[in-house]
Amino acid sequence: CRMGALQLLKKLVLKKDPGLSMKNQSLHGPSPVTTFGPKACMLQNPHAVMHIQDPASQRLTWNKPPKSVLVIKKIQDASLLQPFKELCVFLTEKSIIVYVERKVLADPAIQADESFAAIIQKFCTFREDLDDISNRVDFIICLGGDGTLLYASSLFQKSVPPVMAFHLGSLGFLTPFNFDTYQSQVTQIIEGNAAIILRSRLRVVKESREKKARVDEKGIIMTNGDSEGSRKAMQYQVLNEVVVDRGPSSYLSNVDLFLDGHLITTVQGDGVIVSTPTGSTAYAVAAGASMIHPNVPAIMITPICPHSLSFRPIVVPAGVELKIMLSRDSRNTAWVSFDGRKRQEICHGDNITITTSCFPIPSICFRDPVNDWFESLTQCLHWNVRKKQNYLCSKEDVF
């Protein structure tokens, strides 16, 4: 039956729409890469039809045994010092090269531990935004809360190694593993064939106009004149959301939202959130959006306190291109942040282009993508928690 359906699909001839000739993306978004870091890849499922896999069938495998790991620890949290030391000792005993950010080792409590000094000598250190470790790390272990996973995402602008996140923070929606049995769990990951979930990211390009300075008749340097300067472009990979807000201004935010080059609406309110399905359970859900499973290919657009009774959150296909610009009649500038970091101002003439990235986060599951997600909804957000209604006795039950 399946073979017959595939043959029928091959025979179908779709009429070409000339308006789509300029669009080279699928509505489902770009095909995500299936190699993660130097040695990890997704185990191919021969039964997948039309490249849409059952979430439960997504498995991790290794081309070669992993030899290096990046350990990310939440900074300035004394409760994580002992788990961090235990994990690092365990990894070095397995002859795994441990990468640690230099500022983690600057903690006085770590420096003062003489028994841990011999282990520190074996570490490989790096500095954020200065050292490229993308081709050196085979997998990542996060110790902390959801912020550690977001930080891991920011370190890799292209292919991301598999991420194993331990719940040692406050919320832990994205961190399914408990540290109590870390030895057996880490060993299982090193041996390979673990369940993973591909968390899509957003590729964000911010273009800003740099105006040329000019000198007036009195010799005063003017930097906000009409003379056009060069354009500066910055690119970011975002796991949760892009937030555009009014910043410190008391005026409404007034930004235009384009979809595939067409103006779809003007956002008048405190701002707008553009999020991934993973980010749907973060800022977006607090602003009234729905919660979407990370395997759903989509982008969410959620207004923040819109000055309108009819502006509802919407979900668009993952393959579209969104663009955000200040409206011409906006009374003030706006501000943008990427996963809560790198906050910067948006001025007239600037624009932010958002598409689905082809470099997702391969997050290792405790059980599988579906069960882990519903477990997080129940444990972290107390989804649909309510006192149950009492059973109503019938007359037959009484007699």
Side-chain angles (χ1 to χ4, degrees), residues 125-139:
T125 60
F126 71 98
R127 295 163 296 174
E128 182 187 6
D129 296 332
L130 293 177
D131 301 321
D132 183 13
I133 58 172
S134 56
N135 292 322
R136 306 181 201 171
V137 174
D138 294 332
F139 68 107

Side-chain angles (χ1 to χ4, degrees), residues 66 209 245 354:
R209 185 177 65 182
D245 60 71
I354 304 171

